[in-house]
Amino acid sequence: MSPLLKIRSERDQMSAIERRIADYLLENAHLLRDYSSQQLANALGISQSSVVKFSQKLGFKGYPDLKFSIGEAMARGDRHDDGAGAQAAPADPNQALAERLWHGKARAEEETQLINPPERIEAIAELIQHARRVYVIGLGEDGVPARALSMKLAMIGILAVHHFDPVLMAASTASAGAGDVLLVLSEQGKLTSLCHLARSFAESGGKVVSATRHTPNPLRAHADHALLVSAHDERAHVEPLLYHSALQHLLDLIFVLLCERGQDRLRQLDRQAERVQDMLDI
């Protein structure tokens, strides 16, 4: 995995000094081969030890190893910037826009994959598989993937309850307890109503799974398991698109894991698909 990708995905969780180092490395990766740790420290006005500690925090023995790894990534064209490397820009402006969007989505999905280790995804899939009931909620734009996921779970025989209103969900979860799961989708994870719902659900003995941005937020604090999404773009109208693309990838992965955990799930999915098609054909 590219060290630049790792730096980008973990940036929002870094200290102020670490973010300064991270930003400099991301913006000047092509110049690092000529920089010693002391020269980098001088350029940023920080101590050399801060550069060394930053490198070690990323899992490298020291700055030389980090610099070498970044150099290898650059040689592979693995910079993951919005310009899509050194490739020539398409002559058609619409094609250039489309390629930039595709690259942005691909980068967001890679970053999101990096910060969600397989064992976390596996644990959440296991939790949902054995749940008595799965409650799914998302407000605003998060309501679309929440509804889609609940329908998919129902198609493979998992009892899923979906609401777009936290008051209705609170009423539905009043009888929830051990063996039940609440999945809350909230990009910023700061909505008071959803935090209150998660806290009440946990107090009843159920398990809470949150899906938010990877920055610290109140909803994550109430969750037993957290799905984290990393998606960044300087364009305000594009960043939400990258977020929901990466979020959908996470939810799709969990659904596929559930489907492939036995032929019973797949047979159930086939039967439900046939029923739906029969209704559409009437």
Side-chain angles (χ1 to χ4, degrees):
M1 187 64 68
S2 165
L4 296 175
L5 180 59
K6 185 175 179 65
I7 291 171
R8 188 191 295 272
S9 66
E10 296 184 6
R11 181 191 177 281
D12 289 347
Q13 302 179 54
M14 296 178 179
S15 67
I17 290 180
E18 290 170 344
R19 284 197 298 271
R20 288 175 60 193
I21 300 174
D23 291 342
Y24 193 88
L25 294 181
L26 291 171
E27 294 171 6
N28 302 279
H30 59 292
L31 301 176
L32 289 185
R33 65 180 182 180
D34 299 323
Y35 273 62
S36 66
S37 59
Q38 185 60 63
Q39 288 172 320
L40 177 59
N42 292 341
L44 291 171
I46 59 177
S47 67
Q48 184 181 19
S49 63
S50 295
V51 176
V52 175
K53 290 178 181 178
F54 176 86
S55 304
Q56 294 172 339
K57 188 173 181 178
L58 289 174
F60 296 92
K61 293 181 180 179
Y63 173 74
D65 287 338
L66 172 60
K67 181 170 71 170
F68 179 76
S69 182
I70 291 177
E72 283 191 323
M74 293 293 293
R76 292 193 304 266
D78 195 24
R79 184 175 179 180
H80 295 280
D81 61 11
D82 290 333
Q87 297 179 358
D92 184 347
N94 289 337
Q95 182 183 352
L97 187 64
E99 290 190 5
R100 187 179 182 190
L101 181 60
W102 280 117
H103 283 298
K105 287 185 175 182
R107 185 177 64 247
E109 290 178 7
E110 285 187 272
E111 293 176 5
T112 297
Q113 179 182 358
L114 180 65
I115 59 177
N116 289 276
E119 55 270 21
R120 177 184 301 165
I121 302 296
E122 179 72 22
I124 293 173
E126 184 78 12
L127 196 64
I128 294 174
Q129 179 182 7
H130 298 291
R132 183 177 58 175
R133 288 167 296 191
V134 179
Y135 299 89
V136 187
I137 186 170
L139 305 183
E141 291 188 8
D142 289 308
V144 176
R147 180 181 181 182
L149 178 62
S150 64
M151 292 178 63
K152 290 176 183 176
L153 294 179
M155 292 283 283
I156 58 174
I158 295 176
L159 180 56
V161 179
H162 168 258
H163 284 298
F164 56 84
D165 186 327
V167 175
L168 294 176
M169 183 60 84
S172 296
T173 58
S175 60
D180 293 324
V181 175
L182 173 65
L183 178 56
V184 188
L185 279 58
S186 176
E187 180 173 356
Q188 304 301 334
K190 297 179 180 179
L191 292 175
T192 303
S193 58
L194 294 182
C195 292
H196 177 74
L197 180 64
R199 182 173 62 251
S200 299
F201 194 88
E203 290 173 352
S204 70
K207 297 295 184 180
V208 178
V209 178
S210 65
T212 71
R213 284 192 174 274
H214 66 98
T215 49
N217 59 74
L219 183 57
R220 280 180 62 185
H222 296 299
D224 298 284
H225 300 275
L227 291 171
L228 307 177
V229 178
S230 176
H232 305 282
D233 196 283
E234 71 277 7
R235 296 165 294 173
H237 61 291
V238 172
E239 189 170 58
L241 304 180
L242 306 188
Y243 172 84
H244 284 287
S245 176
L247 171 64
Q248 190 62 58
H249 184 76
L250 274 181
L251 300 179
D252 287 345
L253 176 57
I254 291 174
F255 176 69
V256 171
L257 285 174
L258 291 169
C259 286
E260 297 187 354
R261 288 187 167 212
Q263 292 302 314
D264 288 344
R265 297 289 189 204
L266 294 176
R267 282 194 291 267
Q268 178 80 9
L269 180 60
D270 290 339
R271 287 195 298 268
Q272 294 294 346
E274 289 178 3
R275 291 174 182 172
V276 171
Q277 189 60 51
D278 289 341
M279 294 178 64
L280 293 175
D281 290 339
I282 294 176

